[in-house]
Amino acid sequence: MQHNIFTTMRSLKFPEGCKGTQVYAINPTGGEGGGGGCGGKVGEKFLQHLQDLRANSIRTKSSRNSHPPTNQTTRTNVSVESLLPAGFPTVDFMEPQIEPCLKSVDFVESLAAVYKKVEDSSQFEKSERFLEQCAVFKGLCDPKLFRNSLRCARQHAVDVHSKVVLASWLRFERREDELIGLSAMDCCGRNLECPRACLLPGYDPESVNDPCVCSRGELEGGVLMGDGGECSTSDIDEAAGGGGGGDDDDCDMSFCIGDDEIRGVRYNVASLSRPFRAMLYGEFKESRREKINFSQNGISAEGMRAAMIFSRTKRLGSFELKIVLELLSLANRFCCEELKSACDAHLASLVCDMEEAMMLIEYGLEEGAYLLVAACLQVILRELPFSMHNPYVMKLFCGSEGRERLASVGHASFLLYYFLSQIAMEEEMKSNNTVMLLERLGECATEDWQKQLAYHQLGVVMLERTEYKDAQKWFEEAVEAGHIYSSVGVARAKYNRGHKYSAYKMMNSLISDHTPVGWMYQERSLYCTGKEKLMDLNTATELDPTLSFPYKCRAVLLVQENKLESAISELNKIIGFKVSPDCLELRAWISIVLEDYEGALRDVRALLTLDPNYMMFYGKKHGDQLVELLRPLVQQYSQADCWMQLYDRWSSVDDIGSLAVVHQMLANDPRKSLLWFRQSLLLLRLNCQKAAMRSLRLARNYSTSDHEKFVYEGWILYDTGHREEALSKAEQSISIQRSFEAFFLKAYALADSSLDPESSKYVIQLLEEALRCPSDGLRKGQALNNLGSVYVDCEKFDLAADCYMSALEIKHTRAHQGLARVYHLKNQRKAAYDEMTKLIEKARNNASAYEKRSEYCDRDMAKSDLSTATQLDPLRTYPYRYRAAVLMDDHKEAEAIRELARVIAFKPDLQLLHLRAAFYDSMGDTSCTLRDCEAALCLDPNHNGTIELYKRARERGNEPEK
């Protein structure tokens, strides 16, 4: 029986023993092959196939020939199994990930529906509706939408529990737990996330962005009394001495506890609760006694004295903690609501760290102290994810008994377990804690969308744990609750249980019963072979070009046909507009086969920037290990050489190449905050916000001065939607030391709004100040580019042109685009077109340049440029809008709608939805106009154009039919 190379490779077991820069050689004679599993004829067969692949490749060898001969010799001796421990990639081990979020067959309908829910909800329901919106937005690539909805949920929260959880979640989104020197209870300065303000009940959405009261030392309204709620000196003296609830002349009764007699005023004590009133004025014998034996009621003499003081003053004094806990117990036993509230608030004000939270939460749960448990819960949540390693915390959150205890005091909710389960899935998806938290999430689910989310995520986790029967059960529960996307999980679980045909039939039915979307064909491709598989993969890409699995699968199929260059080209298509570790890994994998070690090392370094813990080759080798193996095979560069390389690659808009260079520089100098900051800029340019925020946090942590630290904190705040706070950080930095980055941050944040002439003038001054400060050409080029843009907005075209030309002199290539705009505004269209052509020729990532050049040429050339832009980056929306507008001008309404629908299916963008709504409005289709307006307003409720269009459409829809 004959085996092809892929069957052979799957049967091989390669050693993992290659570390550092050691080099091993495959023994072609098999003399030592027994120990390594790759000797003899099997090793020869593998080597021969590698040589055949390389011989058949049409790849240019110029990059290899540039290295010294010693490197060439080293390469021929490299252990193949060290570089490729899993052999060649194969489609048998490739599966697209099932997304652990709500995913709709018609996303526009989902957006419109959740918008209507928000608008139609009462003030007490709005927070929950915004939470549902959060769950919908989780399925989109823009984290800002999720954060904005989370902020709205907090803004409209009414109860303390919701405020505490949502504020903690907002803090977690910034991952401030990773910032060295910050406490979990540090306040951001506004009510939105203030730990003390969150413990105030009530609905006040207008105040959440106001400065909080932390600086004043007390909370308005007296809920948390802090320093402002202390009793008078005479009260303290009474508590410390033998006194009780007033002067001896006023006292008309006393409580006896052991040998102590605590005197008080009968009327005051009776006012504490109805049980005390009944005891002191009712038919009980105590009502006729001046001295009442109170020894058997579980309170000490000191505690009773404190109770007497409270009965008179209605305030808690500076009592010891144990006394307040006694009072809380007494209040519960005798139903003293006012005393209980005071004790609850006082104890809550004492909770500032995990130690106090762990000590007091048990008292709170036992005594039903709502605010105290809320305060303890707040500390625990703000310490996430570290608090998840506390066994008591996980026992409380994960177990059914713990959930019931929290529920008994009003602190078990879908919101709480949604937050906890998301963190658990990020930390360790397969863990038992994750499963238990999701089970509690399901128990708290009451609405359909909540059940869909909880059951679907349980299915995803069980699938990851290879517990396919349970996975299928949970996915089926989610489908029954109305989540159609979970059908993918049912099919996958069936397939893994050996029911391949059943899975295929299920996906067939799904495609037949609904308007097909890309993920349906992607899933069905797993369950078929040959041409049918390729057709499904191609259809999936046609419907949704953002799905990475079809590109990867086609690339691997091309590898199996020995078409390695074509495989690389296939991967380049998606990497050009959507960078992900798995695609970079596969391209590096194929590059190793091609002996393009520089290309492989570049991609491995870039993917480690996105995910520092990435395990390559089906989890067989850590990325860092592969870097060490590849490094000796390429030309070595000093740190100075790396700076030159970074300058060149940044100038040529080679973002992945720049990432690789920065990664190499950080390997040499891992505490260089400037490099971490540069890395974050590149990652933001590649739309990898999560990784960018991690790099920014590291830049901040490695800062050696306060002024530098404030700048990076400012960028973290700005990039997470806190513009005012970012401006404050910039000003703090400038007050310490004038620096390029501080002025640049302030100018950038100020320019992020509609600028009036005075504001524009101020931004210009800030950028000019920045340019006077020391910095390198890369950043100064950006500042000059931004300055030119502000000058253009002020119609100072000559000054703008000077800025852009100065930027180009220091190789800021993107300045070509600004200069083209200046030429265009001066009616020099040919010069603008030529300028954009220069950018296209220089930039490696040039989809935006083709798009912009289309504005400076005739319709036919514009259509060609926009077609190229769409091929290079299908996520750019302008080309679709332009083509649709042209079709509408040509009275081809149906084709225009189809052009927009094509992109909206995988990118529901505000501008696209608004334009399609306007098209529908012009066609008289009111229902579709309303739907698209609602979906657009869900993305941005303040978009004026859509608001006006929606208002007109609603008025027309309410008109009586003639």
Side-chain angles (χ1 to χ4, degrees):
M1 177 178 171
Q2 290 186 332
H3 296 273
N4 64 22
I5 183 63
F6 307 104
T7 306
T8 304
M9 288 305 305
R10 288 196 292 273
S11 68
L12 292 179
K13 294 183 179 178
F14 293 125
E16 296 280 350
C18 187
K19 297 182 179 179
T21 57
Q22 288 178 288
V23 179
Y24 297 86
I26 289 181
N27 185 345
T29 63
E32 297 176 25
C38 55
K41 294 186 177 180
V42 174
E44 289 176 2
K45 188 182 290 187
F46 181 37
L47 283 174
Q48 184 59 50
H49 191 75
L50 277 176
Q51 292 166 3
D52 292 344
L53 286 173
R54 291 161 183 162
N56 291 336
S57 171
I58 59 171
R59 187 177 181 281
T60 176
K61 309 293 182 181
S62 59
S63 63
R64 298 178 221 163
N65 294 336
S66 64
H67 300 312
T70 53
N71 277 358
Q72 296 287 345
T73 305
T74 304
R75 290 180 192 183
T76 58
N77 292 329
V78 168
S79 169
V80 177
E81 70 271 20
S82 298
L83 292 176
L84 298 174
F88 291 167
T90 170
V91 292
D92 295 345
F93 298 121
M94 292 172 60
E95 288 184 357
Q97 184 186 15
I98 296 177
E99 296 181 39
C101 56
L102 294 179
K103 199 172 180 73
S104 175
V105 173
D106 188 340
F107 203 80
V108 175
E109 286 285 357
S110 296
L111 290 174
V114 77
Y115 173 77
K116 286 189 285 186
K117 285 183 181 180
V118 170
E119 291 300 300
D120 296 342
S121 61
S122 69
Q123 67 179 39
F124 301 108
E125 299 171 325
K126 276 199 184 301
S127 185
E128 290 186 5
R129 298 286 72 83
F130 277 117
L131 182 65
E132 181 179 357
Q133 191 180 70
C134 285
V136 172
F137 284 157
K138 199 70 173 175
L140 293 177
C141 296
D142 188 355
K144 291 181 181 178
L145 290 172
F146 175 81
R147 282 197 300 268
N148 287 342
S149 290
L150 200 62
R151 196 173 292 116
C152 289
R154 165 62 188 92
Q155 179 181 359
H156 293 277
V158 179
D159 60 281
V160 168
H161 172 79
S162 297
K163 291 180 179 182
V164 163
V165 178
L166 289 164
S168 300
W169 200 338
L170 282 167
R171 181 181 185 277
F172 179 81
E173 284 295 304
R174 292 197 303 278
R175 293 308 304 261
E176 289 193 1
D177 56 284
E178 295 183 4
L179 297 181
I180 296 171
L182 286 189
S183 164
M185 298 302 286
D186 283 347
C187 179
C188 68
R190 299 195 181 272
N191 288 330
L192 187 74
E193 295 180 39
C194 173
R196 298 179 70 186
C198 287
L199 295 177
L200 285 170
Y203 182 74
D204 189 9
E206 303 306 319
S207 71
V208 291
N209 291 316
D210 293 343
C212 65
V213 295
C214 288
S215 59
R216 299 207 301 269
E218 63 177 277
L219 285 181
E220 296 170 357
V223 175
L224 290 186
M225 294 191 288
D227 297 332
E230 292 184 359
C231 62
S232 66
T233 305
S234 61
D235 294 336
I236 299 172
D237 291 340
E238 287 184 60
D247 296 334
D248 283 345
D249 292 341
D250 298 329
C251 295
D252 55 0
M253 54 86 64
S254 60
F255 289 100
C256 297
I257 300 175
D259 296 331
D260 293 297
E261 183 177 329
I262 300 95
R263 295 185 58 74
V265 179
R266 186 178 294 268
Y267 175 80
N268 290 341
V269 177
S271 69
L272 289 175
S273 70
R274 293 179 67 183
F276 271 122
R277 186 180 301 113
M279 180 178 72
L280 297 176
Y281 287 108
E283 300 300 322
F284 298 97
K285 59 185 179 182
E286 285 84 359
S287 65
R288 295 183 292 276
R289 291 181 178 175
E290 184 179 338
K291 294 183 179 182
I292 299 171
N293 187 354
F294 219 64
S295 298
Q296 304 302 315
N297 285 283
I299 187 167
S300 67
E302 291 82 0
M304 201 64 207
R305 287 191 187 97
M308 291 300 98
I309 292 174
F310 183 85
S311 72
R312 181 169 61 84
T313 65
K314 302 302 180 186
R315 293 188 302 170
L316 286 177
S318 296
F319 304 124
E320 293 181 14
L321 176 61
K322 66 176 183 178
I323 299 298
V324 182
L325 292 171
E326 281 190 50
L327 289 176
L328 178 61
S329 180
L330 176 74
N332 268 330
R333 192 174 297 114
F334 287 90
C335 304
C336 307
E337 292 302 322
E338 188 177 9
L339 177 58
K340 180 177 179 178
S341 295
C343 291
D344 193 8
H346 180 82
L347 290 168
S349 70
L350 302 178
V351 183
C352 296
D353 56 37
M354 276 294 287
E355 184 179 355
E356 291 164 348
M358 291 295 95
M359 178 179 67
L360 291 174
I361 193 168
E362 271 300 317
Y363 287 102
L365 291 169
E366 288 296 325
E367 300 296 343
Y370 177 79
L371 271 181
L372 175 56
V373 174
C376 296
L377 194 62
Q378 178 168 243
V379 172
I380 294 169
L381 295 179
R382 291 172 73 94
E383 288 280 2
L384 288 169
F386 303 119
S387 55
M388 276 193 164
H389 301 294
N390 185 305
Y392 174 82
V393 169
M394 295 319 293
K395 181 182 177 182
L396 179 65
F397 286 147
C398 293
S400 293
E401 183 183 345
R403 187 188 72 81
E404 289 170 5
R405 295 185 72 198
L406 288 169
S408 69
V409 288
H411 285 292
S413 66
F414 181 86
L415 168 62
L416 172 65
Y417 285 100
Y418 186 17
F419 178 32
L420 293 171
S421 60
Q422 299 317 292
I423 296 175
M425 291 176 73
E426 283 186 27
E427 290 290 302
E428 192 178 353
M429 181 175 278
K430 299 178 184 180
S431 73
N432 291 334
N433 285 341
T434 302
V435 173
M436 288 189 285
L437 286 171
L438 286 170
E439 287 173 345
R440 303 295 81 77
L441 181 71
E443 291 168 1
C444 293
T446 55
E447 300 180 40
D448 285 343
W449 75 268
Q450 295 175 345
K451 293 175 183 177
Q452 292 171 19
L453 181 64
Y455 301 156
H456 178 72
Q457 291 190 334
L458 269 165
V460 170
V461 170
M462 290 302 181
L463 197 68
E464 285 289 316
R465 289 161 62 101
T466 66
E467 298 176 24
Y468 300 124
K469 186 176 181 180
D470 286 338
Q472 184 176 333
K473 182 196 80 169
W474 287 116
F475 281 130
E476 286 171 345
E477 292 272 2
V479 172
E480 188 175 337
H483 193 231
I484 295 169
Y485 176 63
S486 293
S487 302
V488 168
V490 178
R492 191 80 62 87
K494 286 183 174 182
Y495 172 67
N496 283 297
R497 296 179 69 194
H499 308 299
K500 183 175 180 179
Y501 184 61
S502 177
Y504 179 80
K505 279 174 55 180
M506 188 169 191
M507 294 313 301
N508 259 350
S509 299
L510 199 63
I511 290 170
S512 302
D513 296 343
H514 300 89
T515 302
V517 287
W519 52 261
M520 296 179 183
Y521 285 95
Q522 172 180 268
E523 188 65 23
R524 193 175 71 172
S525 72
L526 294 176
Y527 315 130
C528 51
T529 57
K531 290 184 178 179
E532 189 178 357
K533 184 184 191 75
L534 198 56
M535 284 176 61
D536 275 355
L537 291 170
N538 291 339
T539 304
T541 299
E542 183 181 341
L543 293 172
D544 185 353
T546 67
L547 297 171
S548 62
F549 176 77
Y551 298 91
K552 290 166 59 182
C553 200
R554 286 190 293 265
V556 171
L557 292 172
L558 287 166
V559 169
Q560 292 177 349
E561 297 175 9
N562 293 357
K563 298 177 180 177
L564 301 182
E565 283 295 339
S566 298
I568 293 281
S569 298
E570 183 65 27
L571 290 170
N572 288 344
K573 292 177 185 176
I574 188 165
I575 292 173
F577 68 90
K578 183 182 177 183
V579 179
S580 62
D582 55 335
C583 290
L584 289 171
E585 175 197 17
L586 186 54
R587 191 168 73 174
W589 202 332
I590 299 169
S591 295
I592 290 172
V593 178
L594 282 167
E595 283 190 323
D596 178 12
Y597 299 127
E598 279 196 354
L601 185 57
R602 173 203 62 209
D603 286 346
V604 177
R605 287 191 182 279
L607 77 84
L608 286 171
T609 303
L610 300 175
D611 183 355
N613 299 314
Y614 195 83
M615 297 295 294
M616 301 185 65
F617 310 138
Y618 311 126
K620 292 182 180 293
K621 191 178 288 293
H622 194 284
D624 283 332
Q625 289 179 286
L626 189 59
V627 167
E628 291 305 309
L629 289 172
L630 289 169
R631 279 182 60 237
L633 308 182
V634 301
Q635 187 171 340
Q636 303 298 304
Y637 294 100
S638 67
Q639 199 78 339
D641 293 332
C642 286
W643 273 111
M644 293 302 297
Q645 280 210 342
L646 178 61
Y647 196 82
D648 290 340
R649 295 187 187 190
W650 195 294
S651 299
S652 62
V653 199
D654 177 7
D655 294 333
I656 292 176
S658 298
L659 274 182
V661 175
V662 172
H663 184 272
Q664 181 179 348
M665 296 170 78
L666 282 168
N668 299 330
D669 191 358
R671 303 182 68 84
K672 188 77 170 177
S673 59
L674 173 65
L675 292 174
W676 288 111
F677 179 55
R678 293 298 165 81
Q679 189 180 80
S680 74
L681 297 175
L682 287 164
L683 289 164
L684 283 173
R685 217 150 75 176
L686 290 167
N687 202 28
C688 302
Q689 191 169 45
K690 185 177 179 180
M693 290 298 100
R694 184 181 62 246
S695 298
L696 257 181
R697 290 191 293 271
L698 287 167
R700 182 264 182 201
N701 287 344
Y702 287 130
S703 298
T704 56
S705 61
D706 285 341
H707 76 86
E708 187 183 14
K709 185 182 297 183
F710 286 139
V711 168
Y712 299 142
E713 287 177 357
W715 280 115
I716 291 170
L717 288 163
Y718 178 81
D719 288 328
T720 51
H722 298 269
R723 178 174 167 271
E724 295 300 323
E725 290 83 350
L727 283 168
S728 176
K729 290 289 183 182
E731 288 162 1
Q732 281 181 272
S733 180
I734 292 169
S735 69
I736 298 171
Q737 181 173 320
R738 298 162 65 84
S739 68
F740 174 90
E741 292 298 348
F743 281 116
F744 187 87
L745 168 61
K746 188 173 181 180
Y748 196 93
L750 283 172
D752 185 25
S753 60
S754 298
L755 293 177
D756 55 48
E758 280 302 311
S759 298
S760 296
K761 186 177 179 181
Y762 186 43
V763 170
I764 289 170
Q765 289 174 355
L766 289 170
L767 288 171
E768 288 174 344
E769 286 293 336
L771 288 165
R772 291 189 190 100
C773 298
S775 188
D776 58 70
L778 297 177
R779 293 299 282 156
K780 290 213 169 185
Q782 182 65 62
L784 286 164
N785 199 60
N786 290 14
L787 183 58
S789 180
V790 180
Y791 276 136
V792 168
D793 293 339
C794 297
E795 298 185 358
K796 297 179 179 179
F797 301 135
D798 291 338
L799 289 172
D802 290 342
C803 288
Y804 291 129
M805 288 176 179
S806 296
L808 288 171
E809 286 175 6
I810 52 177
K811 292 190 176 181
H812 187 78
T813 309
R814 293 174 189 268
H816 283 296
Q817 183 168 317
L819 190 55
R821 184 183 174 201
V822 170
Y823 288 142
H824 175 66
L825 292 169
K826 287 182 170 184
N827 294 319
Q828 300 173 15
R829 205 173 182 198
K830 175 68 167 59
Y833 181 89
D834 292 343
E835 203 64 37
M836 290 310 301
T837 302
K838 294 176 186 176
L839 178 57
I840 289 170
E841 291 168 351
K842 292 180 182 179
R844 182 178 288 259
N845 300 325
N846 53 19
S848 62
Y850 278 105
E851 178 185 298
K852 199 67 183 174
R853 191 175 71 171
S854 70
E855 298 178 23
Y856 311 136
C857 52
D858 59 42
R859 177 180 283 196
D860 289 339
M861 294 176 70
K863 286 172 68 175
S864 174
D865 274 355
L866 291 174
S867 177
T868 302
T870 298
Q871 288 175 10
L872 294 172
D873 185 355
L875 289 172
R876 304 195 70 84
T877 61
Y878 174 76
Y880 300 94
R881 288 187 280 130
Y882 177 90
R883 288 189 290 264
V886 169
L887 289 167
M888 283 297 284
D889 286 346
D890 294 340
H891 304 289
K892 298 177 180 178
E893 290 88 353
E895 291 180 47
I897 294 292
R898 280 198 297 272
E899 178 68 22
L900 293 177
R902 184 161 68 100
V903 60
I904 287 172
F906 61 86
K907 186 176 181 180
D909 173 79
L910 171 66
Q911 298 292 342
L912 294 168
L913 288 165
H914 174 75
L915 183 59
R916 191 171 71 170
F919 286 177
Y920 277 129
D921 186 59
S922 69
M923 295 161 63
D925 191 335
T926 303
S927 63
C928 288
T929 302
L930 289 171
R931 180 203 61 200
D932 281 358
C933 282
E934 287 160 355
L937 290 171
C938 186
L939 299 173
D940 182 0
N942 300 314
H943 190 254
N944 291 327
T946 305
I947 291 171
E948 288 298 318
L949 181 58
Y950 187 49
K951 183 179 177 182
R952 290 199 308 270
R954 289 185 69 178
E955 289 171 354
R956 189 166 56 252
N958 292 330
E959 291 176 0
E961 295 184 9
K962 296 181 180 180

